[in-house]
Amino acid sequence: MQISSAALLKASGTATAPATLAERYGRVRRASMALAAPLSAEDAMLQSMPDASPAKWHLAHTSWFFEQFVLGLQPGYRPLHPHWQALFNSYYQSIGPAHARARRGLLSRPTLAQVLEYRAQVDERIGRCLRTGALDEPAQRHLLLGLQHEQQHQELLLTDIKHALWSNPLQPAYRDDLPPAASDAAGSACWLPFPERIVEIGAPPWPANAGFAYDNESPRHRVLVPAHALANRPLSNAEYRAFIDDGGYREPLLWMSDGWAQLQAGQWRHPLYWDDALEREYTLGGWRALDPDAPVCHLGWYEADACARWAGARLPTEFEWEAAAAACAPAGNFADTGLLHPAAQAGDAGRPRQLFGDVWEWTASAYGPYPGFRPLPGSAGEYNGKFMCGQQVLRGGSCATPAGHVRASYRNFFPPAARWQFSGLRLARDA
């Protein structure tokens, strides 16, 4: 099925003027450069753990994506640096070999200056294609996918450099000019009841739908959601502190077996980035006093699950979360606010708040395919589907997510031990 350029632009969430796609491409690419601007060349090649990547690699890989999946569709196109192809391929085995993820921090060459020049060359070629109308429908679809992909890497750039700088004995700030995340009083949490109902979950396959969606969000389908209740807001630092003070990290009955093993192996005693006195936390702005009202973050799924059990509750399923979020605009404390840290927000106690932004919310749902799931055609089909094993779903976005990137149907996923993302929890319980 052929999709018109106007429909593609509509799917990108922008107006349909001919220059809109070029403008959006430039805006997203500039945002990545702005996030990398506070970093030195030395900062940009740090890799503090296998799960994270150097900022330089993020800048190069996102450019590789556009070169591979957009420019590579142009007749007779030749890669700018053929010997870089394996360096900046992430996991697309159908394309060719990839440099080992855990060894990305060893790539001192090409230099940061060379990577930035590579970005500029890719941008120039993409711009030329957009000006001349050289991109056919498949190339335009890949360009829009690449913009969403780069926004994901913008968030990863922030979370990865936070872990790298925290791992430095000096623990310097990513930016020492970040404003404090002034929180409202969180107020007492309350339960919001939801009746048993059949709900529509997911998004129609893109680009046939009215807005962009990844393949793992489709097809849209009906789900029976039992009667339940959700907390009106994410769990706060103070509430999680009560779990710690009550011996939550010392009680094996609260933990999954694998989680208890992770806790012991990693000597977990509190969320990642809290100090042992439980009074300060490391932020992208350096060490700051722990805000009791702000949503707790940097929890793995094992911690979120254990805390929910301690509270006599549970984590919501992703379907319960999406059903509650479907009527809410995806607005909140995203990266664009400039805080780069969660903050409490006041609001109507009788409505769910902070479903979007601040912290990704762990759900009880394992990451798997929806009924009738079909990955994207070709090598782009490796984007999501092959990771549907051993991961848990998170919903809602965080303070490091670009605004406009998430929606109610958006499914993020990480292994249950992952703690370096801005991930927290919202409690649920059976009716």
Side-chain angles (χ1 to χ4, degrees):
M1 179 177 65
Q2 291 293 309
I3 306 298
S4 70
S5 296
L8 282 165
L9 289 165
K10 183 178 180 182
S12 75
T14 62
T16 58
T20 302
L21 190 52
E23 188 278 332
R24 187 179 182 202
Y25 176 85
R27 185 172 68 248
V28 170
R29 297 285 279 173
R30 288 191 299 272
S32 296
M33 294 299 293
L35 292 175
L39 304 178
S40 68
E42 293 83 358
D43 292 332
M45 71 167 291
L46 291 173
Q47 183 178 20
S48 52
M49 61 175 173
D51 286 341
S53 298
K56 184 174 75 173
W57 189 89
H58 287 300
L59 296 174
H61 166 70
T62 48
S63 302
W64 171 91
F65 190 97
F66 286 112
E67 186 181 32
Q68 178 67 46
F69 289 103
V70 181
L71 297 177
L73 296 181
Q74 304 308 297
Y77 182 80
R78 295 183 178 181
L80 289 163
H81 301 283
H83 54 295
W84 290 11
Q85 294 298 293
L87 298 183
F88 302 124
N89 180 1
S90 53
Y91 48 71
Y92 296 91
Q93 300 298 322
S94 60
I95 290 174
H99 183 73
R101 179 180 183 180
R103 298 171 64 84
R104 291 170 183 169
L106 299 180
L107 299 177
S108 59
R109 307 291 178 87
T111 66
L112 178 60
Q114 289 173 314
V115 165
L116 297 182
E117 176 60 23
Y118 174 52
R119 281 183 69 89
Q121 291 174 322
V122 170
D123 288 347
E124 192 278 329
R125 283 160 174 75
I126 292 287
R128 185 191 311 156
C129 288
L130 289 169
R131 289 192 301 273
T132 61
L135 300 184
D136 60 12
E137 300 294 353
Q140 289 185 48
R141 289 197 293 272
H142 284 176
L143 182 69
L144 291 170
L145 176 63
L147 294 176
Q148 297 287 327
H149 167 258
E150 180 139 355
Q151 288 185 309
Q152 289 181 313
H153 278 271
Q154 289 167 2
E155 179 163 5
L156 289 170
L157 189 153
L158 289 172
T159 56
D160 293 357
I161 196 62
K162 181 175 182 177
H163 190 271
L165 295 177
W166 171 78
S167 299
N168 182 326
L170 297 178
Q171 296 181 316
Y174 158 73
R175 280 179 46 194
D176 56 15
D177 63 338
L178 285 177
S183 285
D184 296 321
S188 298
C190 64
W191 292 105
L192 304 178
F194 293 91
E196 178 177 286
R197 51 188 171 149
I198 294 175
V199 297
E200 292 280 339
I201 293 295
W206 177 78
N209 62 4
F212 178 85
Y214 287 111
D215 56 2
N216 66 358
E217 300 173 52
S218 67
R220 191 163 173 83
H221 61 289
R222 297 193 306 165
V223 172
L224 174 63
V225 176
H228 65 283
L230 289 179
N232 66 325
R233 59 166 175 77
L235 200 75
S236 70
N237 284 325
E239 290 160 340
Y240 196 82
R241 169 71 186 267
F243 164 69
I244 299 173
D245 290 343
D246 197 43
Y249 282 83
R250 302 190 300 273
E251 177 48 73
L253 296 179
L254 296 173
W255 294 76
M256 291 291 181
S257 177
D258 286 348
W260 185 250
Q262 289 277 350
L263 177 155
Q264 293 180 307
Q267 298 184 329
W268 295 353
R269 298 293 179 267
H270 49 68
L272 187 66
Y273 303 131
W274 283 24
D275 69 1
D276 290 338
L278 311 183
E279 295 177 351
R280 298 185 305 155
E281 61 180 328
Y282 180 78
T283 74
L284 285 164
W287 282 101
R288 293 183 175 174
L290 195 67
D291 180 353
D293 291 307
V296 63
C297 66
H298 295 298
L299 300 177
W301 182 87
Y302 291 129
E303 292 166 290
D305 176 70
C307 182
R309 192 171 290 108
W310 167 83
R314 59 174 174 82
L315 297 178
T317 68
E318 63 170 319
F319 308 127
E320 291 168 343
W321 190 99
E322 184 174 333
C328 301
N333 176 21
F334 292 112
D336 307 62
T337 65
L339 297 179
L340 303 184
H341 198 72
Q345 298 177 24
D348 181 356
R351 297 174 57 85
R353 61 180 194 256
Q354 294 176 273
L355 284 164
F356 296 99
D358 287 300
V359 293
W360 288 102
E361 297 181 12
W362 285 108
T363 74
S365 300
Y367 178 53
Y370 286 163
F373 167 75
R374 296 290 184 272
L376 294 172
S379 295
E382 294 191 65
Y383 198 106
N384 283 313
K386 69 181 187 180
F387 299 107
M388 292 177 172
C389 178
Q391 318 241 26
Q392 295 294 130
V393 174
L394 304 96
R395 295 298 195 111
S398 80
C399 57
T401 305
H405 179 64
V406 294
R407 54 207 155 266
S409 61
Y410 192 107
R411 305 173 79 201
N412 199 359
F413 54 92
F414 278 99
R419 309 171 82 208
W420 89 107
Q421 293 300 306
F422 286 93
S423 46
L425 75 150
R426 181 185 302 266
L427 295 176
R429 69 181 184 187
D430 299 326

